[in-house]
């Protein structure tokens, strides 16, 4: 389908689909780390692997949450940690379980400590 545009629909396959020719990204995690996400996206669609790959590896533990059932909770928690109020989730969603919350918190704090915003 040469006239069909491909969009990236899951954060954790951003690099792969950008390299495959995607022309846009329907994204979740940029709400928490917008600058790093835009930098990654622009490098990926430009085919700049030297810039994109290290950033993708750093963000991937968070981006991976976008393909899990708890993606809304994870993104909102990361937003809160990054100082971008995401607020509580609404029913039927429930807060993350202890181990899930710890994993998201650790990955977000690591990204922020690396200067990713």
């Amino acid at each position: 389908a040469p006239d069909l545009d491909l969009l990236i629909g899951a954060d954790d396959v951003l690099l792969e689909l950008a390299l495959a020719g995607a022309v846009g990204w329907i994204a979740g995690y940029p709400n928490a780390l917008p600058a790093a996400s835009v930098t990654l996206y622009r490098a990926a669609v430009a085919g700049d692997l030297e810039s994109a790959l290290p950033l993708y590896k750093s963000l991937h533990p968070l981006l991976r949450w976008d393909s899990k059932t708890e993606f809304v909770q994870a993104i909102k928690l990361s937003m809160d940690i990054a100082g971008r109020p995401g607020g509580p989730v609404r029913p039927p969603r429930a807060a993350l379980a202890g181990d899930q919350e710890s994993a998201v918190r650790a990955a977000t704090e690591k990204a922020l400590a690396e200067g990713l915003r």
Side-chain angles (χ1 to χ4, degrees):
D3 296 328
L4 183 65
D5 287 337
L6 175 68
L7 295 177
I8 302 158
D11 296 351
D12 61 337
V13 290
L14 162 68
L15 182 59
E16 295 87 338
L17 293 177
L19 293 173
V23 298
W25 181 20
I26 300 168
Y29 250 97
N31 289 293
L33 302 168
S37 298
V38 168
T39 299
L40 172 58
Y41 173 76
R42 288 181 177 159
V45 296
D48 179 4
L49 283 175
E50 187 175 326
S51 299
L53 196 53
L55 190 51
Y56 191 51
K57 286 180 179 180
S58 292
L59 290 173
H60 204 263
L62 290 171
L63 299 178
R64 187 71 184 106
W65 283 93
D66 192 55
S67 292
K68 297 183 182 187
T69 305
E70 304 84 7
F71 72 101
V72 170
Q73 296 95 312
I75 292 167
K76 283 178 163 279
L77 176 57
S78 289
M79 288 173 66
D80 288 340
I81 294 167
R84 300 178 180 342
V89 294
R90 292 179 286 179
R93 296 191 180 272
L96 292 173
D99 59 332
Q100 293 173 321
E101 180 181 349
S102 296
V104 170
R105 185 171 299 281
T108 304
E109 289 172 350
K110 183 175 188 271
L112 292 171
E114 293 175 1
L116 303 178
R117 297 263 171 207

